[in-house]
Amino acid sequence: MSGDLRRHAPAAARNRGPILAVLRDWLPAEGLVLEVASGSGEHAVHFAAALPGLVFQPSDPDPSALASIDAWAAGMANIRPAVRLDAAAAEWAVGAVDAVVCINMIHIAPWAAAEGLVRGAAARLAAGAPLVLYGPYRVGGAHTAPSNAAFDAALRARDPAWGVRELEAVSALAAAEGFGPPELREMPANNLMLRFRRG
Ligand SMILES: C[S@@+](CC[C@H](N)C(=O)[O-])C[C@H]1O[C@@H](n2cnc3c(N)ncnc32)[C@H](O)[C@@H]1O
Protein backbone atom coordinates (compact mmCIF):
# COMPACT_ATOMS: atom_id res chain seq x y z
CA MET A 1 0.00 0.00 0.00
CA SER A 2 1.43 3.42 -0.85
CA GLY A 3 -0.05 6.53 0.77
CA ASP A 4 0.49 10.17 0.00
CA LEU A 5 3.84 11.02 1.61
CA ARG A 6 3.41 14.78 1.24
CA ARG A 7 3.30 16.58 4.60
CA HIS A 8 1.60 19.93 5.03
CA ALA A 9 3.11 22.67 7.21
CA PRO A 10 0.55 25.47 7.69
CA ALA A 11 3.29 28.01 8.50
CA ALA A 12 5.06 27.22 5.24
CA ALA A 13 1.88 27.89 3.29
CA ARG A 14 1.57 31.28 5.04
CA ASN A 15 5.16 32.47 4.80
CA ARG A 16 6.31 31.10 1.44
CA GLY A 17 5.01 34.13 -0.52
CA PRO A 18 6.78 36.79 1.57
CA ILE A 19 9.96 34.68 1.71
CA LEU A 20 9.95 34.17 -2.06
CA ALA A 21 9.65 37.93 -2.60
CA VAL A 22 12.92 38.43 -0.71
CA LEU A 23 14.64 35.45 -2.32
CA ARG A 24 13.94 36.99 -5.74
CA ASP A 25 16.15 39.90 -4.65
CA TRP A 26 18.74 38.00 -2.68
CA LEU A 27 19.50 34.79 -4.56
CA PRO A 28 21.60 34.68 -7.73
CA ALA A 29 19.64 34.35 -10.99
CA GLU A 30 21.26 30.99 -11.73
CA GLY A 31 23.01 28.25 -9.83
CA LEU A 32 22.55 25.59 -7.19
CA VAL A 33 20.77 26.45 -3.93
CA LEU A 34 21.13 24.17 -0.91
CA GLU A 35 18.13 24.34 1.40
CA VAL A 36 18.98 23.08 4.90
CA ALA A 37 16.05 21.81 7.03
CA SER A 38 13.55 21.66 4.16
CA GLY A 39 10.86 20.05 6.34
CA SER A 40 7.77 19.21 4.31
CA GLY A 41 9.37 20.42 1.04
CA GLU A 42 6.61 22.93 0.30
CA HIS A 43 9.07 25.83 0.34
CA ALA A 44 11.50 24.20 -2.07
CA VAL A 45 8.70 23.37 -4.51
CA HIS A 46 7.26 26.88 -4.34
CA PHE A 47 10.64 28.55 -4.81
CA ALA A 48 11.78 26.21 -7.59
CA ALA A 49 8.57 26.79 -9.56
CA ALA A 50 8.99 30.55 -9.30
CA LEU A 51 12.75 30.69 -9.88
CA PRO A 52 13.40 28.41 -12.89
CA GLY A 53 17.01 29.63 -13.35
CA LEU A 54 17.93 27.97 -10.06
CA VAL A 55 18.30 24.33 -9.12
CA PHE A 56 17.30 23.47 -5.55
CA GLN A 57 18.93 20.82 -3.39
CA PRO A 58 16.57 20.18 -0.48
CA SER A 59 17.74 18.41 2.67
CA ASP A 60 16.68 17.40 6.15
CA PRO A 61 17.85 14.96 8.83
CA ASP A 62 14.37 13.44 9.18
CA PRO A 63 13.67 10.52 6.77
CA SER A 64 9.92 11.24 6.71
CA ALA A 65 10.70 14.81 5.66
CA LEU A 66 12.87 13.50 2.81
CA ALA A 67 9.98 11.34 1.59
CA SER A 68 7.62 14.31 1.77
CA ILE A 69 10.02 16.60 -0.11
CA ASP A 70 10.50 14.08 -2.91
CA ALA A 71 6.74 13.50 -3.14
CA TRP A 72 6.07 17.25 -3.48
CA ALA A 73 8.91 17.64 -5.99
CA ALA A 74 7.90 14.76 -8.27
CA GLY A 75 8.16 15.80 -11.90
CA MET A 76 9.97 19.09 -11.24
CA ALA A 77 13.16 19.43 -13.26
CA ASN A 78 14.93 21.94 -11.03
CA ILE A 79 14.69 20.13 -7.68
CA ARG A 80 17.20 17.42 -6.90
CA PRO A 81 16.27 14.41 -4.78
CA ALA A 82 16.35 15.37 -1.10
CA VAL A 83 19.46 14.38 0.85
CA ARG A 84 19.81 13.51 4.52
CA LEU A 85 21.74 16.33 6.14
CA ASP A 86 22.22 17.19 9.82
CA ALA A 87 23.64 20.71 9.91
CA ALA A 88 25.60 19.87 13.06
CA ALA A 89 27.38 16.92 11.45
CA ALA A 90 31.01 17.24 10.41
CA GLU A 91 30.29 15.85 6.92
CA TRP A 92 27.54 16.99 4.59
CA ALA A 93 26.58 14.97 1.50
CA VAL A 94 26.64 18.11 -0.66
CA GLY A 95 29.58 19.85 -2.36
CA ALA A 96 29.99 23.45 -3.49
CA VAL A 97 26.78 25.47 -3.95
CA ASP A 98 25.89 29.00 -5.04
CA ALA A 99 23.62 29.82 -2.08
CA VAL A 100 22.41 28.27 1.18
CA VAL A 101 18.90 28.90 2.54
CA CYS A 102 17.65 27.82 5.96
CA ILE A 103 14.13 28.62 7.18
CA ASN A 104 12.93 28.18 10.76
CA MET A 105 15.60 25.79 11.96
CA ILE A 106 18.17 27.35 14.26
CA HIS A 107 15.71 28.07 17.10
CA ILE A 108 14.22 24.54 16.89
CA ALA A 109 17.57 22.76 17.26
CA PRO A 110 20.53 22.95 19.62
CA TRP A 111 22.99 25.82 19.08
CA ALA A 112 25.39 23.26 17.56
CA ALA A 113 23.07 23.15 14.54
CA ALA A 114 23.51 26.91 14.00
CA GLU A 115 27.26 26.52 14.38
CA GLY A 116 27.30 23.63 11.91
CA LEU A 117 25.06 25.50 9.46
CA VAL A 118 27.36 28.49 9.32
CA ARG A 119 30.50 26.35 9.19
CA GLY A 120 29.10 24.10 6.47
CA ALA A 121 27.83 27.04 4.41
CA ALA A 122 31.18 28.80 4.66
CA ALA A 123 32.92 25.70 3.34
CA ARG A 124 30.63 25.47 0.29
CA LEU A 125 30.11 29.07 -0.80
CA ALA A 126 32.44 31.18 -2.95
CA ALA A 127 33.25 34.80 -2.10
CA GLY A 128 30.11 36.95 -2.29
CA ALA A 129 27.70 34.01 -2.24
CA PRO A 130 24.80 34.21 0.23
CA LEU A 131 23.67 32.34 3.31
CA VAL A 132 20.01 33.30 3.85
CA LEU A 133 18.23 32.65 7.15
CA TYR A 134 14.58 33.15 8.12
CA GLY A 135 13.08 33.04 11.60
CA PRO A 136 12.44 34.95 14.82
CA TYR A 137 15.40 36.67 16.52
CA ARG A 138 16.09 38.58 19.71
CA VAL A 139 17.66 41.92 18.85
CA GLY A 140 19.76 43.94 21.29
CA GLY A 141 19.05 41.41 24.03
CA ALA A 142 15.25 41.71 23.76
CA HIS A 143 12.43 39.98 21.98
CA THR A 144 10.92 41.98 19.14
CA ALA A 145 7.32 41.12 20.15
CA PRO A 146 5.44 39.50 23.07
CA SER A 147 4.44 36.63 20.77
CA ASN A 148 8.12 35.85 20.16
CA ALA A 149 8.78 35.83 23.93
CA ALA A 150 5.93 33.35 24.40
CA PHE A 151 7.20 31.23 21.50
CA ASP A 152 10.71 31.25 23.02
CA ALA A 153 9.36 30.08 26.38
CA ALA A 154 7.39 27.29 24.71
CA LEU A 155 10.45 26.16 22.76
CA ARG A 156 12.65 26.10 25.88
CA ALA A 157 9.98 24.19 27.81
CA ARG A 158 10.00 21.57 25.08
CA ASP A 159 13.80 21.37 24.92
CA PRO A 160 16.13 23.58 27.01
CA ALA A 161 18.66 23.54 24.13
CA TRP A 162 16.15 25.22 21.80
CA GLY A 163 15.11 28.88 21.80
CA VAL A 164 14.89 32.08 19.80
CA ARG A 165 18.46 33.10 18.96
CA GLU A 166 20.21 36.42 19.41
CA LEU A 167 20.79 38.22 16.11
CA GLU A 168 24.14 39.42 17.44
CA ALA A 169 25.24 35.90 18.39
CA VAL A 170 24.36 34.53 14.95
CA SER A 171 26.14 37.47 13.31
CA ALA A 172 29.24 36.81 15.45
CA LEU A 173 29.15 33.16 14.47
CA ALA A 174 28.94 34.11 10.80
CA ALA A 175 31.75 36.67 11.13
CA ALA A 176 33.99 34.02 12.72
CA GLU A 177 33.45 31.85 9.62
CA GLY A 178 34.30 34.66 7.20
CA PHE A 179 30.87 36.15 6.42
CA GLY A 180 30.15 39.87 6.35
CA PRO A 181 27.48 41.56 8.50
CA PRO A 182 23.86 40.60 7.68
CA GLU A 183 21.41 42.52 5.57
CA LEU A 184 18.00 42.43 7.27
CA ARG A 185 14.42 42.34 6.08
CA GLU A 186 11.52 42.54 8.52
CA MET A 187 8.98 39.84 7.73
CA PRO A 188 5.36 39.19 8.75
CA ALA A 189 4.66 37.76 12.21
CA ASN A 190 7.79 39.34 13.74
CA ASN A 191 10.27 37.27 11.79
CA LEU A 192 13.47 38.45 10.14
CA MET A 193 15.32 37.42 7.01
CA LEU A 194 19.09 37.69 7.13
CA ARG A 195 21.54 37.55 4.23
CA PHE A 196 25.18 36.94 5.08
CA ARG A 197 27.65 37.06 2.20
CA ARG A 198 30.84 35.09 2.19
CA GLY A 199 33.80 37.42 2.40
C1 LIG B 1 10.10 23.95 12.09
S1 LIG B 1 10.71 22.84 10.91
C2 LIG B 1 10.95 23.92 9.53
C3 LIG B 1 10.87 23.21 8.22
C4 LIG B 1 10.83 24.12 6.98
N1 LIG B 1 12.10 24.83 6.81
C5 LIG B 1 9.70 25.08 7.08
O1 LIG B 1 9.93 26.27 7.36
O2 LIG B 1 8.55 24.66 6.89
C6 LIG B 1 12.35 22.52 11.47
C7 LIG B 1 13.13 21.56 10.59
O3 LIG B 1 14.48 21.54 11.02
C8 LIG B 1 14.96 20.24 10.86
N2 LIG B 1 16.15 20.10 11.70
C9 LIG B 1 16.20 19.91 13.05
N3 LIG B 1 17.46 19.78 13.45
C10 LIG B 1 18.24 19.92 12.35
C11 LIG B 1 19.65 19.87 12.11
N4 LIG B 1 20.51 19.65 13.11
N5 LIG B 1 20.10 20.03 10.85
C12 LIG B 1 19.23 20.25 9.84
N6 LIG B 1 17.89 20.29 10.00
C13 LIG B 1 17.41 20.13 11.24
C14 LIG B 1 13.78 19.36 11.27
O4 LIG B 1 13.91 18.04 10.80
C15 LIG B 1 12.63 20.12 10.64
O5 LIG B 1 12.38 19.67 9.32
Side-chain angles (χ1 to χ4, degrees):
M1 192 182 84
S2 67
D4 186 352
L5 299 172
R6 294 176 301 172
R7 298 193 331 207
H8 295 265
R14 283 195 301 274
N15 62 28
R16 64 186 187 177
I19 293 173
L20 173 61
V22 178
L23 293 180
R24 282 187 193 283
D25 279 355
W26 279 4
L27 292 180
E30 296 178 344
L32 179 61
V33 179
L34 170 62
E35 186 187 23
V36 174
S38 299
S40 68
E42 290 161 286
H43 279 141
V45 167
H46 189 67
F47 304 154
L51 302 169
L54 293 169
V55 174
F56 283 81
Q57 172 62 74
S59 71
D60 205 276
D62 174 358
S64 74
L66 302 182
S68 175
I69 297 161
D70 288 344
W72 277 110
M76 292 188 67
N78 63 333
I79 302 190
R80 291 187 176 176
V83 294
R84 193 164 187 175
L85 191 156
D86 174 352
E91 301 293 330
W92 290 8
V94 177
V97 295
D98 300 295
V100 176
V101 173
C102 184
I103 298 167
N104 278 335
M105 187 277 277
I106 65 170
H107 54 289
I108 309 181
W111 181 242
E115 293 176 325
L117 172 67
V118 173
R119 188 176 56 240
R124 285 161 181 80
L125 295 172
L131 165 63
V132 177
L133 306 185
Y134 171 99
Y137 291 88
R138 285 164 57 92
V139 180
H143 287 290
T144 60
S147 59
N148 281 7
F151 182 44
D152 187 32
L155 288 171
R156 290 176 194 280
R158 206 164 142 198
D159 187 328
W162 295 3
V164 172
R165 305 304 179 191
E166 302 279 350
L167 173 62
E168 294 80 1
V170 177
S171 299
L173 196 58
E177 294 291 344
F179 288 93
E183 294 160 72
L184 304 185
R185 292 277 178 92
E186 292 189 4
M187 303 299 290
N190 305 300
N191 289 292
L192 290 177
M193 276 183 83
L194 316 180
R195 175 168 68 168
F196 295 98
R197 301 184 87 140
R198 187 87 169 86

